[in-house]
Amino acid sequence: MKDRLKCPQCGSDCIARIQWGLPAWTEELRRRLKDGRMVLGGCCISDESRDWECRECGYRFGDRIVVQTRRLLNRENVLKDIVYGAAVGDALEVPYELMARDSFECTGMIGGGAHNMPAGTFSDDTSMMLATCDSIRQRGRIDIDDMRSRFGLWAFDGKYTADGMAFGIGRATARALVSGIGQSGVHDNGNGSLMRITPLALLQTSDDEVRLVSAIIHAHWISEEACVALVRILDDLTWGEYPEDAIVANIPKSEKFAFLRELEDMPRYEVHSSGFVLDTLGASLWCLLHTDSYRDCVLTAVNPGGDSDTVGCIAGALAGAMYGYEAIPKEWIDQLRGKDIIENCLF
């Protein structure tokens, strides 16, 4: 796996992002230009425009900006991009959940593992995201009671799963669904709200509505603010923003989230893939920043191990928003189980 992008021509990792258009001359832009992490490309974007320039040999590469420009002309399938991106990333990691860091290498979908599920099976992460989607589809709005009810149908009746059976239910999720009260202790900041919050990026939701949806299960303010940040970043990505800019523009004010500003320069060994909500958010965004395709993003998310099924799910949602459904390898889509369930929940 790579810590930084490398030039396909000379192998150097001295890579600068090419800024196209007429950017605002912010202090952040000036700093990146001065540091050599960014160069100006010009006003006009065409099929020849590229994303990265090697500072060693001058070679330009990457078609991310072309993909995004084309996708802006066809936004009706953005939810499909995000949901399938998340489901595939989730299914890739299920066999490796909680395995020791760097003790395996994921290259595609396989079965087995701790849950002994067939290849292509998505976990609770995708199931709860589908429950969120289905509630919005049925109710036409954010309905907290209805969402809570659908989460219960998943946990207790196996709805929104490929086999009619839920697995991988977290302790905070179980307590919240049994009691009907979101868990608000400092130790209740698992990543369970991040994995299901992504569909809200397609709605005109307020920050407070996002917080309420998080609080169905995870009601601590850290989890709520992490969900707001992810929803806003996803929304910006679907409108063609670079991930670097989308992240910086949506970092919550609390110092707890300040580390997100350092992700672009953070080495891989400092990236944590635990179940803590901030670790998951940071790891998912790091994978998006340090790769240049859907495939590389989700494999980079899955391979560290730990609680990286959720990292794989969220990184997959981000990469889906970034690159689109068409960028997901066809063989992974073909192997994904429960596609009929996914299609029935899209709104």
Side-chain angles (χ1 to χ4, degrees), residues 255-284:
E255 282 299 309
K256 294 283 188 182
F257 293 84
F259 76 101
L260 296 177
R261 295 186 181 276
E262 311 303 323
L263 290 178
E264 199 171 352
D265 295 319
M266 186 179 290
R268 178 177 175 268
Y269 67 82
E270 291 185 6
V271 179
H272 303 291
S273 55
S274 78
F276 178 42
V277 64
L278 293 185
D279 285 348
T280 300
L281 178 63
S284 303

Side-chain angles (χ1 to χ4, degrees), residues 45 51 63-75 236-244 318 321-324:
I45 300 172
D51 300 288
D63 60 0
R64 196 168 63 173
I65 192 169
V66 176
V67 171
Q68 286 181 286
T69 301
R70 289 173 179 164
R71 290 189 62 236
L72 285 174
L73 303 176
N74 182 27
R75 278 184 52 83
D236 283 355
L237 290 176
T238 67
W239 287 105
E241 288 285 351
Y242 275 102
E244 298 90 334
L318 290 162
M322 184 84 189
Y323 302 107

Side-chain angles (χ1 to χ4, degrees), residues 42 52 81 107 113 139 152 182 192 252 319 332 337:
W52 312 103
D81 300 336
T107 58
R139 302 293 294 164
W332 293 352
R337 305 178 68 224

Side-chain angles (χ1 to χ4, degrees), residues 1 89 93 104 273 283-284 286-288 291 295-316:
M1 292 188 295
E93 212 291 323
F104 63 90
S273 55
S284 303
W286 188 94
C287 292
L288 187 70
T291 55
R295 179 191 289 269
D296 282 354
C297 182
V298 293
L299 291 180
T300 299
V302 167
N303 274 302
D307 193 24
S308 49
D309 63 322
T310 302
V311 177
C313 183
I314 296 170

